[in-house]
Amino acid sequence: MEQLCYLALCVLLAILVLYGLLELHYFLRMCLCVLLARFVKRRCHILDVTTVNGLCLTNDVDTLLYHMNNARYFRELDFARVDFYERTNLYRTITGLGGSVFQGAATIRYRRFIRPFHRFNIVSRIIYWDEQSLFMEHRFVRPSDKFVHCIAICRQRVIDVSMEAVMAELLPRTSSNGFRATASASASLAAPSAAAGGISNPAMDTSLAENGHGASGAATGAPAPAPPPSTAHCAKLKPSLPPELSKWIEYNDMSSKNLRSGC
């Protein structure tokens, strides 16, 4: 009996050490999120809107125990992104093309705090993409009355692959292989531009591409080759660049240049 008590105590201490060093709650929840997105939830089209549920717990609040800590909003976005990546097949498409993806920048606009033990939903969707990056909007919404607590915009950088090529792979998929664009996706699409079906950012210098796929003609002045049919189809479905996002991209490009110059 005494040995069983010592064994139980050792197991409890090991769990506490793992929880303290590895934040076991985060990893367990992440594994659950991946399993649900991959095997339980329905597949989504890349332009669909996805939703994950959340609950503000005691380890999410600030020192005043009054509302969810501001930094916790960004951590909650990890679960929303994983859910979106798995259900839309985005991550596997990027890696299948030999690329990788990471968080490049993020901004958030708080409107009203989330109290402890209150539920919330994170509604995620793609609002734009360019050659190097994918831009996602995440809204923290109160389930009862759809009140928006805050809006976050995240820039996902892709490495060693063109984001246009990734979207060209994902956009044509229909219900024949498990994907269908729903009404929410259709409503999120804006009218294409007159140039090539999408709006490029004039402030972006493509010769300074950070994903290894900058336009070769940008440095030499040579005209870019004609896009393949899949890319043309991608451009027709591409949302217009929101003006506020254009300003934020311009700021990000200026910040990147400062980082490269050592400022």
Side-chain angles (χ1 to χ4, degrees), residues 51-116:
T51 303
V52 296
N53 302 318
L55 176 66
C56 181
L57 300 174
T58 54
N59 59 343
D60 296 321
V61 298
D62 59 12
T63 53
L64 299 177
L65 301 178
Y66 189 65
H67 58 78
M68 190 161 79
N69 186 277
N70 293 338
R72 287 289 183 171
Y73 288 83
F74 285 105
R75 198 180 85 145
E76 290 294 321
L77 294 183
D78 289 346
F79 306 111
R81 276 193 297 270
V82 165
D83 180 82
F84 187 90
Y85 283 6
E86 287 292 332
R87 296 175 63 186
T88 60
N89 209 34
L90 175 60
Y91 183 76
R92 275 171 283 183
T93 302
I94 293 175
T95 55
L97 294 175
S100 58
V101 59
F102 65 94
Q103 181 87 310
T107 182
I108 192 167
R109 172 67 169 89
Y110 300 103
R111 184 182 181 190
R112 186 176 297 176
F113 50 75
I114 299 177
R115 294 186 181 275

Short mmCIF file of all heavy atoms in Angstrom, two decimals, residues 51-116:
data_model
loop_
_atom_site.label_atom_id
_atom_site.label_comp_id
_atom_site.label_asym_id
_atom_site.label_seq_id
_atom_site.Cartn_x
_atom_site.Cartn_y
_atom_site.Cartn_z
N THR A 51 -15.30 27.90 -37.91
CA THR A 51 -15.57 28.36 -36.55
C THR A 51 -15.06 27.35 -35.55
O THR A 51 -15.29 26.14 -35.71
CB THR A 51 -17.08 28.58 -36.33
OG1 THR A 51 -17.57 29.51 -37.30
CG2 THR A 51 -17.35 29.11 -34.93
N VAL A 52 -14.37 27.82 -34.53
CA VAL A 52 -13.96 26.98 -33.40
C VAL A 52 -14.52 27.61 -32.12
O VAL A 52 -14.70 28.83 -32.04
CB VAL A 52 -12.43 26.84 -33.29
CG1 VAL A 52 -11.87 26.11 -34.50
CG2 VAL A 52 -11.76 28.19 -33.13
N ASN A 53 -14.79 26.77 -31.13
CA ASN A 53 -15.36 27.23 -29.86
C ASN A 53 -14.27 27.41 -28.82
O ASN A 53 -13.27 26.67 -28.80
CB ASN A 53 -16.40 26.23 -29.36
CG ASN A 53 -17.51 26.01 -30.36
OD1 ASN A 53 -17.98 26.96 -30.98
ND2 ASN A 53 -17.92 24.76 -30.54
N GLY A 54 -14.46 28.38 -27.94
CA GLY A 54 -13.52 28.62 -26.86
C GLY A 54 -14.23 28.98 -25.57
O GLY A 54 -15.41 29.36 -25.57
N LEU A 55 -13.48 28.86 -24.49
CA LEU A 55 -14.01 29.19 -23.16
C LEU A 55 -12.90 29.85 -22.36
O LEU A 55 -11.79 29.33 -22.27
CB LEU A 55 -14.49 27.92 -22.44
CG LEU A 55 -14.97 28.08 -21.00
CD1 LEU A 55 -16.24 28.93 -20.97
CD2 LEU A 55 -15.22 26.71 -20.37
N CYS A 56 -13.18 31.02 -21.81
CA CYS A 56 -12.21 31.74 -21.00
C CYS A 56 -12.10 31.08 -19.62
O CYS A 56 -13.04 31.15 -18.83
CB CYS A 56 -12.61 33.21 -20.87
SG CYS A 56 -11.45 34.20 -19.89
N LEU A 57 -10.97 30.45 -19.33
CA LEU A 57 -10.74 29.77 -18.07
C LEU A 57 -9.86 30.62 -17.15
O LEU A 57 -9.38 31.69 -17.54
CB LEU A 57 -10.10 28.40 -18.33
CG LEU A 57 -10.92 27.43 -19.19
CD1 LEU A 57 -10.11 26.18 -19.48
CD2 LEU A 57 -12.23 27.09 -18.51
N THR A 58 -9.62 30.11 -15.95
CA THR A 58 -8.84 30.87 -14.97
C THR A 58 -7.40 31.06 -15.40
O THR A 58 -6.75 32.04 -15.01
CB THR A 58 -8.87 30.16 -13.61
OG1 THR A 58 -8.44 28.80 -13.77
CG2 THR A 58 -10.29 30.17 -13.04
N ASN A 59 -6.85 30.13 -16.20
CA ASN A 59 -5.48 30.31 -16.67
C ASN A 59 -5.39 31.23 -17.89
O ASN A 59 -4.32 31.43 -18.45
CB ASN A 59 -4.83 28.96 -17.00
CG ASN A 59 -5.59 28.20 -18.07
OD1 ASN A 59 -6.75 28.51 -18.35
ND2 ASN A 59 -4.95 27.20 -18.64
N ASP A 60 -6.52 31.78 -18.32
CA ASP A 60 -6.54 32.72 -19.44
C ASP A 60 -6.69 34.18 -18.99
O ASP A 60 -6.54 35.07 -19.83
CB ASP A 60 -7.71 32.39 -20.39
CG ASP A 60 -7.57 31.04 -21.04
OD1 ASP A 60 -6.43 30.67 -21.40
OD2 ASP A 60 -8.58 30.33 -21.19
N VAL A 61 -7.01 34.41 -17.73
CA VAL A 61 -7.31 35.77 -17.29
C VAL A 61 -6.04 36.46 -16.81
O VAL A 61 -5.01 35.84 -16.55
CB VAL A 61 -8.38 35.76 -16.17
CG1 VAL A 61 -9.67 35.16 -16.68
CG2 VAL A 61 -7.88 34.98 -14.96
N ASP A 62 -6.12 37.79 -16.67
CA ASP A 62 -4.97 38.56 -16.21
C ASP A 62 -4.92 38.56 -14.69
O ASP A 62 -5.70 37.88 -14.01
CB ASP A 62 -5.03 39.99 -16.77
CG ASP A 62 -6.29 40.72 -16.35
OD1 ASP A 62 -7.01 40.23 -15.45
OD2 ASP A 62 -6.57 41.79 -16.91
N THR A 63 -3.99 39.34 -14.12
CA THR A 63 -3.76 39.32 -12.68
C THR A 63 -4.95 39.85 -11.89
O THR A 63 -5.11 39.53 -10.71
CB THR A 63 -2.52 40.15 -12.33
OG1 THR A 63 -2.66 41.47 -12.90
CG2 THR A 63 -1.26 39.51 -12.90
N LEU A 64 -5.78 40.66 -12.51
CA LEU A 64 -6.95 41.20 -11.82
C LEU A 64 -8.12 40.23 -11.82
O LEU A 64 -9.15 40.52 -11.19
CB LEU A 64 -7.37 42.52 -12.49
CG LEU A 64 -6.33 43.64 -12.46
CD1 LEU A 64 -6.85 44.85 -13.22
CD2 LEU A 64 -5.96 44.02 -11.04
N LEU A 65 -7.99 39.09 -12.54
CA LEU A 65 -9.06 38.09 -12.62
C LEU A 65 -10.36 38.70 -13.11
O LEU A 65 -11.46 38.32 -12.70
CB LEU A 65 -9.28 37.42 -11.25
CG LEU A 65 -8.08 36.70 -10.64
CD1 LEU A 65 -8.45 36.14 -9.28
CD2 LEU A 65 -7.57 35.60 -11.54
N TYR A 66 -10.23 39.64 -14.02
CA TYR A 66 -11.40 40.38 -14.48
C TYR A 66 -11.80 40.03 -15.91
O TYR A 66 -12.98 40.00 -16.23
CB TYR A 66 -11.13 41.87 -14.35
CG TYR A 66 -12.33 42.76 -14.59
CD1 TYR A 66 -13.42 42.72 -13.72
CD2 TYR A 66 -12.39 43.60 -15.69
CE1 TYR A 66 -14.53 43.51 -13.95
CE2 TYR A 66 -13.49 44.41 -15.92
CZ TYR A 66 -14.56 44.36 -15.04
OH TYR A 66 -15.66 45.14 -15.27
N HIS A 67 -10.82 39.77 -16.77
CA HIS A 67 -11.12 39.44 -18.16
C HIS A 67 -9.96 38.66 -18.75
O HIS A 67 -8.90 38.54 -18.15
CB HIS A 67 -11.39 40.70 -18.98
CG HIS A 67 -10.25 41.68 -18.98
ND1 HIS A 67 -9.12 41.51 -19.76
CD2 HIS A 67 -10.06 42.83 -18.29
CE1 HIS A 67 -8.30 42.52 -19.56
NE2 HIS A 67 -8.83 43.33 -18.66
N MET A 68 -10.17 38.15 -19.95
CA MET A 68 -9.13 37.36 -20.61
C MET A 68 -7.93 38.23 -20.93
O MET A 68 -8.07 39.35 -21.45
CB MET A 68 -9.68 36.71 -21.88
CG MET A 68 -8.74 35.69 -22.48
SD MET A 68 -9.54 34.53 -23.62
CE MET A 68 -9.66 35.53 -25.09
N ASN A 69 -6.75 37.71 -20.63
CA ASN A 69 -5.52 38.44 -20.88
C ASN A 69 -5.37 38.73 -22.37
O ASN A 69 -5.69 37.90 -23.22
CB ASN A 69 -4.33 37.62 -20.38
CG ASN A 69 -3.03 38.38 -20.48
OD1 ASN A 69 -2.42 38.41 -21.54
ND2 ASN A 69 -2.61 38.98 -19.38
N ASN A 70 -4.85 39.93 -22.69
CA ASN A 70 -4.76 40.32 -24.09
C ASN A 70 -3.90 39.37 -24.91
O ASN A 70 -4.18 39.12 -26.09
CB ASN A 70 -4.18 41.74 -24.19
CG ASN A 70 -5.12 42.78 -23.63
OD1 ASN A 70 -6.32 42.55 -23.53
ND2 ASN A 70 -4.59 43.93 -23.25
N ALA A 71 -2.84 38.83 -24.31
CA ALA A 71 -1.95 37.92 -25.04
C ALA A 71 -2.63 36.59 -25.36
O ALA A 71 -2.24 35.90 -26.31
CB ALA A 71 -0.68 37.68 -24.24
N ARG A 72 -3.63 36.21 -24.57
CA ARG A 72 -4.30 34.93 -24.78
C ARG A 72 -5.10 34.90 -26.08
O ARG A 72 -5.34 33.83 -26.63
CB ARG A 72 -5.23 34.62 -23.61
CG ARG A 72 -4.49 34.23 -22.34
CD ARG A 72 -3.86 32.85 -22.49
NE ARG A 72 -3.21 32.44 -21.26
CZ ARG A 72 -2.72 31.24 -21.04
NH1 ARG A 72 -2.82 30.32 -21.98
NH2 ARG A 72 -2.13 30.93 -19.91
N TYR A 73 -5.50 36.06 -26.57
CA TYR A 73 -6.22 36.10 -27.83
C TYR A 73 -5.37 35.50 -28.96
O TYR A 73 -5.86 34.73 -29.77
CB TYR A 73 -6.62 37.53 -28.18
CG TYR A 73 -7.72 38.10 -27.31
CD1 TYR A 73 -7.46 38.66 -26.07
CD2 TYR A 73 -9.04 38.09 -27.76
CE1 TYR A 73 -8.47 39.18 -25.29
CE2 TYR A 73 -10.07 38.62 -26.99
CZ TYR A 73 -9.77 39.16 -25.74
OH TYR A 73 -10.78 39.67 -24.96
N PHE A 74 -4.10 35.88 -28.99
CA PHE A 74 -3.23 35.38 -30.05
C PHE A 74 -2.98 33.88 -29.89
O PHE A 74 -2.85 33.16 -30.88
CB PHE A 74 -1.90 36.13 -30.04
CG PHE A 74 -1.99 37.52 -30.60
CD1 PHE A 74 -1.96 38.62 -29.77
CD2 PHE A 74 -2.11 37.72 -31.97
CE1 PHE A 74 -2.05 39.91 -30.30
CE2 PHE A 74 -2.20 39.00 -32.50
CZ PHE A 74 -2.17 40.09 -31.66
N ARG A 75 -2.91 33.38 -28.66
CA ARG A 75 -2.73 31.96 -28.47
C ARG A 75 -3.96 31.18 -28.91
O ARG A 75 -3.85 30.09 -29.47
CB ARG A 75 -2.40 31.64 -27.01
CG ARG A 75 -1.78 30.26 -26.84
CD ARG A 75 -1.47 29.95 -25.41
NE ARG A 75 -2.62 29.40 -24.73
CZ ARG A 75 -2.54 28.46 -23.78
NH1 ARG A 75 -1.37 28.03 -23.40
NH2 ARG A 75 -3.63 28.01 -23.19
N GLU A 76 -5.14 31.74 -28.67
CA GLU A 76 -6.35 31.08 -29.12
C GLU A 76 -6.40 30.98 -30.64
O GLU A 76 -7.02 30.07 -31.19
CB GLU A 76 -7.58 31.85 -28.62
CG GLU A 76 -7.81 31.76 -27.13
CD GLU A 76 -8.16 30.34 -26.68
OE1 GLU A 76 -8.90 29.65 -27.41
OE2 GLU A 76 -7.67 29.93 -25.62
N LEU A 77 -5.73 31.90 -31.33
CA LEU A 77 -5.71 31.86 -32.79
C LEU A 77 -4.97 30.65 -33.31
O LEU A 77 -5.19 30.23 -34.45
CB LEU A 77 -5.09 33.14 -33.35
CG LEU A 77 -5.86 34.44 -33.12
CD1 LEU A 77 -5.16 35.60 -33.78
CD2 LEU A 77 -7.29 34.32 -33.62
N ASP A 78 -4.04 30.08 -32.52
CA ASP A 78 -3.35 28.86 -32.94
C ASP A 78 -4.35 27.74 -33.22
O ASP A 78 -4.23 27.02 -34.23
CB ASP A 78 -2.37 28.40 -31.86
CG ASP A 78 -1.16 29.31 -31.74
OD1 ASP A 78 -0.96 30.14 -32.66
OD2 ASP A 78 -0.43 29.21 -30.74
N PHE A 79 -5.34 27.59 -32.36
CA PHE A 79 -6.34 26.53 -32.54
C PHE A 79 -7.23 26.83 -33.75
O PHE A 79 -7.62 25.91 -34.48
CB PHE A 79 -7.18 26.39 -31.27
CG PHE A 79 -6.36 26.19 -30.03
CD1 PHE A 79 -6.27 27.18 -29.06
CD2 PHE A 79 -5.64 25.02 -29.84
CE1 PHE A 79 -5.51 27.00 -27.92
CE2 PHE A 79 -4.88 24.83 -28.70
CZ PHE A 79 -4.81 25.82 -27.74
N ALA A 80 -7.55 28.11 -33.95
CA ALA A 80 -8.38 28.48 -35.10
C ALA A 80 -7.64 28.21 -36.40
O ALA A 80 -8.24 27.72 -37.37
CB ALA A 80 -8.79 29.95 -35.00
N ARG A 81 -6.34 28.52 -36.45
CA ARG A 81 -5.56 28.29 -37.66
C ARG A 81 -5.41 26.80 -37.95
O ARG A 81 -5.53 26.37 -39.10
CB ARG A 81 -4.20 28.96 -37.55
CG ARG A 81 -4.19 30.43 -37.91
CD ARG A 81 -2.78 30.93 -38.09
NE ARG A 81 -2.01 30.83 -36.86
CZ ARG A 81 -1.94 31.79 -35.94
NH1 ARG A 81 -2.61 32.92 -36.12
NH2 ARG A 81 -1.22 31.64 -34.85
N VAL A 82 -5.11 26.02 -36.91
CA VAL A 82 -4.96 24.58 -37.12
C VAL A 82 -6.26 23.98 -37.65
O VAL A 82 -6.24 23.15 -38.57
CB VAL A 82 -4.54 23.90 -35.80
CG1 VAL A 82 -4.73 22.39 -35.89
CG2 VAL A 82 -3.10 24.21 -35.48
N ASP A 83 -7.38 24.39 -37.08
CA ASP A 83 -8.67 23.91 -37.56
C ASP A 83 -8.89 24.28 -39.02
O ASP A 83 -9.33 23.46 -39.83
CB ASP A 83 -9.78 24.50 -36.69
CG ASP A 83 -11.17 24.04 -37.10
OD1 ASP A 83 -11.57 22.93 -36.71
OD2 ASP A 83 -11.85 24.80 -37.82
N PHE A 84 -8.56 25.51 -39.38
CA PHE A 84 -8.73 25.97 -40.76
C PHE A 84 -7.78 25.23 -41.70
O PHE A 84 -8.19 24.79 -42.79
CB PHE A 84 -8.49 27.48 -40.84
CG PHE A 84 -8.78 28.08 -42.18
CD1 PHE A 84 -10.06 28.56 -42.47
CD2 PHE A 84 -7.80 28.17 -43.16
CE1 PHE A 84 -10.34 29.10 -43.72
CE2 PHE A 84 -8.08 28.71 -44.40
CZ PHE A 84 -9.35 29.18 -44.69
N TYR A 85 -6.51 25.09 -41.30
CA TYR A 85 -5.53 24.41 -42.14
C TYR A 85 -5.93 22.97 -42.44
O TYR A 85 -5.78 22.48 -43.56
CB TYR A 85 -4.17 24.41 -41.45
CG TYR A 85 -3.42 25.73 -41.52
CD1 TYR A 85 -4.00 26.87 -42.06
CD2 TYR A 85 -2.12 25.83 -41.03
CE1 TYR A 85 -3.32 28.06 -42.11
CE2 TYR A 85 -1.43 27.02 -41.08
CZ TYR A 85 -2.03 28.14 -41.62
OH TYR A 85 -1.34 29.32 -41.68
N GLU A 86 -6.42 22.26 -41.41
CA GLU A 86 -6.76 20.86 -41.58
C GLU A 86 -8.03 20.68 -42.42
O GLU A 86 -8.09 19.83 -43.31
CB GLU A 86 -6.96 20.19 -40.21
CG GLU A 86 -5.67 19.96 -39.45
CD GLU A 86 -4.79 18.91 -40.11
OE1 GLU A 86 -5.34 18.02 -40.79
OE2 GLU A 86 -3.56 18.98 -39.95
N ARG A 87 -9.05 21.47 -42.14
CA ARG A 87 -10.34 21.27 -42.81
C ARG A 87 -10.32 21.72 -44.27
O ARG A 87 -11.10 21.23 -45.08
CB ARG A 87 -11.43 22.01 -42.04
CG ARG A 87 -11.65 21.46 -40.64
CD ARG A 87 -12.64 22.29 -39.85
NE ARG A 87 -13.97 22.25 -40.46
CZ ARG A 87 -14.99 22.99 -40.03
NH1 ARG A 87 -14.83 23.83 -39.00
NH2 ARG A 87 -16.16 22.89 -40.61
N THR A 88 -9.45 22.66 -44.62
CA THR A 88 -9.35 23.13 -46.00
C THR A 88 -8.22 22.46 -46.77
O THR A 88 -8.05 22.72 -47.95
CB THR A 88 -9.13 24.65 -46.03
OG1 THR A 88 -7.90 24.97 -45.35
CG2 THR A 88 -10.29 25.39 -45.38
N ASN A 89 -7.44 21.62 -46.09
CA ASN A 89 -6.29 20.94 -46.70
C ASN A 89 -5.19 21.93 -47.08
O ASN A 89 -4.33 21.63 -47.93
CB ASN A 89 -6.72 20.15 -47.94
CG ASN A 89 -5.83 18.95 -48.19
OD1 ASN A 89 -5.33 18.33 -47.26
ND2 ASN A 89 -5.61 18.61 -49.45
N LEU A 90 -5.18 23.10 -46.48
CA LEU A 90 -4.22 24.14 -46.83
C LEU A 90 -2.80 23.74 -46.47
O LEU A 90 -1.87 23.85 -47.29
CB LEU A 90 -4.60 25.45 -46.13
CG LEU A 90 -3.62 26.62 -46.31
CD1 LEU A 90 -3.48 26.99 -47.77
CD2 LEU A 90 -4.09 27.83 -45.50
N TYR A 91 -2.60 23.26 -45.24
CA TYR A 91 -1.24 22.95 -44.80
C TYR A 91 -0.64 21.81 -45.62
O TYR A 91 0.52 21.87 -46.05
CB TYR A 91 -1.24 22.58 -43.32
CG TYR A 91 0.14 22.31 -42.77
CD1 TYR A 91 1.01 23.36 -42.50
CD2 TYR A 91 0.58 21.01 -42.53
CE1 TYR A 91 2.28 23.13 -42.00
CE2 TYR A 91 1.84 20.76 -42.03
CZ TYR A 91 2.69 21.82 -41.77
OH TYR A 91 3.95 21.57 -41.29
N ARG A 92 -1.43 20.76 -45.87
CA ARG A 92 -0.91 19.64 -46.64
C ARG A 92 -0.62 20.03 -48.08
O ARG A 92 0.29 19.48 -48.72
CB ARG A 92 -1.90 18.47 -46.57
CG ARG A 92 -1.72 17.60 -45.33
CD ARG A 92 -2.83 16.60 -45.19
NE ARG A 92 -4.06 17.23 -44.68
CZ ARG A 92 -5.16 16.57 -44.40
NH1 ARG A 92 -5.22 15.26 -44.59
NH2 ARG A 92 -6.22 17.20 -43.93
N THR A 93 -1.38 20.97 -48.62
CA THR A 93 -1.09 21.44 -49.97
C THR A 93 0.22 22.21 -50.02
O THR A 93 1.03 22.03 -50.95
CB THR A 93 -2.24 22.33 -50.48
OG1 THR A 93 -3.47 21.59 -50.45
CG2 THR A 93 -1.98 22.80 -51.90
N ILE A 94 0.46 23.06 -49.03
CA ILE A 94 1.71 23.83 -48.98
C ILE A 94 2.91 22.90 -48.85
O ILE A 94 3.90 23.01 -49.59
CB ILE A 94 1.66 24.84 -47.82
CG1 ILE A 94 0.62 25.92 -48.10
CG2 ILE A 94 3.04 25.49 -47.62
CD1 ILE A 94 0.41 26.90 -46.95
N THR A 95 2.84 21.97 -47.92
CA THR A 95 3.96 21.04 -47.73
C THR A 95 4.09 20.09 -48.91
O THR A 95 5.21 19.68 -49.27
CB THR A 95 3.78 20.24 -46.44
OG1 THR A 95 2.50 19.57 -46.45
CG2 THR A 95 3.84 21.15 -45.23
N GLY A 96 2.96 19.73 -49.53
CA GLY A 96 3.03 18.86 -50.70
C GLY A 96 3.73 19.51 -51.87
O GLY A 96 4.32 18.81 -52.71
N LEU A 97 3.69 20.83 -51.95
CA LEU A 97 4.40 21.57 -53.00
C LEU A 97 5.82 21.92 -52.60
O LEU A 97 6.49 22.68 -53.31
CB LEU A 97 3.62 22.84 -53.36
CG LEU A 97 2.25 22.64 -54.01
CD1 LEU A 97 1.53 23.96 -54.20
CD2 LEU A 97 2.40 21.92 -55.35
N GLY A 98 6.27 21.39 -51.46
CA GLY A 98 7.64 21.62 -51.02
C GLY A 98 7.86 22.87 -50.21
O GLY A 98 9.00 23.31 -50.03
N GLY A 99 6.80 23.48 -49.71
CA GLY A 99 6.93 24.72 -48.97
C GLY A 99 6.63 24.55 -47.49
O GLY A 99 6.38 23.45 -47.00
N SER A 100 6.67 25.66 -46.79
CA SER A 100 6.32 25.70 -45.36
C SER A 100 5.67 27.04 -45.08
O SER A 100 5.74 27.97 -45.90
CB SER A 100 7.56 25.52 -44.48
OG SER A 100 8.54 26.52 -44.76
N VAL A 101 5.04 27.16 -43.92
CA VAL A 101 4.28 28.37 -43.59
C VAL A 101 4.55 28.73 -42.14
O VAL A 101 4.76 27.86 -41.30
CB VAL A 101 2.77 28.15 -43.84
CG1 VAL A 101 2.23 27.00 -43.00
CG2 VAL A 101 1.98 29.42 -43.59
N PHE A 102 4.61 30.02 -41.86
CA PHE A 102 4.79 30.51 -40.49
C PHE A 102 4.12 31.87 -40.36
O PHE A 102 3.78 32.51 -41.35
CB PHE A 102 6.27 30.59 -40.12
CG PHE A 102 7.05 31.62 -40.91
CD1 PHE A 102 7.22 32.90 -40.42
CD2 PHE A 102 7.60 31.29 -42.14
CE1 PHE A 102 7.93 33.85 -41.14
CE2 PHE A 102 8.30 32.24 -42.87
CZ PHE A 102 8.47 33.52 -42.37
N GLN A 103 3.95 32.28 -39.11
CA GLN A 103 3.31 33.56 -38.82
C GLN A 103 4.29 34.69 -39.10
O GLN A 103 5.36 34.76 -38.51
CB GLN A 103 2.87 33.60 -37.36
CG GLN A 103 2.16 34.87 -36.95
CD GLN A 103 0.67 34.83 -37.21
OE1 GLN A 103 0.25 34.51 -38.30
NE2 GLN A 103 -0.11 35.15 -36.22
N GLY A 104 3.91 35.61 -40.00
CA GLY A 104 4.78 36.71 -40.34
C GLY A 104 4.45 37.99 -39.59
O GLY A 104 5.35 38.75 -39.22
N ALA A 105 3.18 38.24 -39.36
CA ALA A 105 2.77 39.46 -38.66
C ALA A 105 1.33 39.29 -38.21
O ALA A 105 0.60 38.45 -38.73
CB ALA A 105 2.91 40.70 -39.56
N ALA A 106 0.94 40.10 -37.24
CA ALA A 106 -0.43 40.05 -36.73
C ALA A 106 -0.79 41.38 -36.11
O ALA A 106 0.06 42.07 -35.53
CB ALA A 106 -0.60 38.93 -35.70
N THR A 107 -2.05 41.75 -36.25
CA THR A 107 -2.57 42.94 -35.60
C THR A 107 -3.96 42.62 -35.07
O THR A 107 -4.65 41.77 -35.62
CB THR A 107 -2.63 44.13 -36.58
OG1 THR A 107 -3.10 45.30 -35.89
CG2 THR A 107 -3.57 43.85 -37.73
N ILE A 108 -4.34 43.28 -33.99
CA ILE A 108 -5.62 42.98 -33.36
C ILE A 108 -6.27 44.28 -32.90
O ILE A 108 -5.58 45.22 -32.47
CB ILE A 108 -5.44 42.00 -32.17
CG1 ILE A 108 -6.78 41.45 -31.70
CG2 ILE A 108 -4.68 42.65 -31.03
CD1 ILE A 108 -6.66 40.27 -30.77
N ARG A 109 -7.57 44.33 -33.02
CA ARG A 109 -8.36 45.49 -32.58
C ARG A 109 -9.37 45.00 -31.55
O ARG A 109 -10.30 44.26 -31.87
CB ARG A 109 -9.06 46.13 -33.78
CG ARG A 109 -10.07 47.22 -33.42
CD ARG A 109 -9.40 48.45 -32.83
NE ARG A 109 -10.33 49.57 -32.72
CZ ARG A 109 -11.11 49.80 -31.66
NH1 ARG A 109 -11.09 48.96 -30.64
NH2 ARG A 109 -11.90 50.85 -31.64
N TYR A 110 -9.16 45.40 -30.27
CA TYR A 110 -10.05 44.99 -29.19
C TYR A 110 -11.26 45.94 -29.13
O TYR A 110 -11.13 47.15 -29.31
CB TYR A 110 -9.32 45.02 -27.85
CG TYR A 110 -8.12 44.12 -27.79
CD1 TYR A 110 -6.83 44.63 -27.90
CD2 TYR A 110 -8.27 42.74 -27.60
CE1 TYR A 110 -5.72 43.81 -27.83
CE2 TYR A 110 -7.16 41.92 -27.54
CZ TYR A 110 -5.89 42.45 -27.65
OH TYR A 110 -4.80 41.63 -27.60
N ARG A 111 -12.39 45.33 -28.85
CA ARG A 111 -13.62 46.13 -28.71
C ARG A 111 -14.20 46.00 -27.31
O ARG A 111 -14.53 47.00 -26.69
CB ARG A 111 -14.65 45.66 -29.75
CG ARG A 111 -15.93 46.49 -29.76
CD ARG A 111 -16.91 45.95 -30.77
NE ARG A 111 -18.13 46.73 -30.83
CZ ARG A 111 -19.22 46.36 -31.49
NH1 ARG A 111 -19.22 45.21 -32.17
NH2 ARG A 111 -20.30 47.12 -31.49
N ARG A 112 -14.35 44.77 -26.82
CA ARG A 112 -14.85 44.55 -25.47
C ARG A 112 -14.25 43.27 -24.93
O ARG A 112 -14.08 42.30 -25.66
CB ARG A 112 -16.37 44.48 -25.45
CG ARG A 112 -16.97 44.39 -24.05
CD ARG A 112 -18.50 44.43 -24.09
NE ARG A 112 -18.99 45.69 -24.64
CZ ARG A 112 -20.27 45.95 -24.86
NH1 ARG A 112 -21.18 45.02 -24.58
NH2 ARG A 112 -20.64 47.11 -25.36
N PHE A 113 -13.91 43.27 -23.65
CA PHE A 113 -13.22 42.13 -23.04
C PHE A 113 -14.14 40.91 -22.92
O PHE A 113 -15.38 41.02 -23.00
CB PHE A 113 -12.67 42.49 -21.66
CG PHE A 113 -13.67 43.15 -20.76
CD1 PHE A 113 -14.67 42.41 -20.14
CD2 PHE A 113 -13.61 44.52 -20.52
CE1 PHE A 113 -15.60 43.01 -19.31
CE2 PHE A 113 -14.54 45.13 -19.68
CZ PHE A 113 -15.53 44.37 -19.08
N ILE A 114 -13.51 39.75 -22.72
CA ILE A 114 -14.21 38.49 -22.50
C ILE A 114 -14.02 38.11 -21.03
O ILE A 114 -12.91 37.98 -20.54
CB ILE A 114 -13.68 37.37 -23.41
CG1 ILE A 114 -13.89 37.75 -24.88
CG2 ILE A 114 -14.37 36.04 -23.10
CD1 ILE A 114 -13.31 36.75 -25.85
N ARG A 115 -15.13 37.95 -20.32
CA ARG A 115 -15.07 37.66 -18.89
C ARG A 115 -14.75 36.18 -18.64
O ARG A 115 -14.97 35.33 -19.52
CB ARG A 115 -16.39 38.02 -18.22
CG ARG A 115 -16.69 39.52 -18.22
CD ARG A 115 -17.95 39.81 -17.41
NE ARG A 115 -18.28 41.22 -17.41
CZ ARG A 115 -17.75 42.11 -16.56
NH1 ARG A 115 -16.86 41.72 -15.68
NH2 ARG A 115 -18.11 43.38 -16.62
N PRO A 116 -14.24 35.86 -17.43
CA PRO A 116 -13.95 34.45 -17.10
C PRO A 116 -15.20 33.58 -17.19
O PRO A 116 -16.31 34.00 -16.85
CB PRO A 116 -13.43 34.53 -15.67
CG PRO A 116 -12.90 35.92 -15.53
CD PRO A 116 -13.77 36.78 -16.39
#
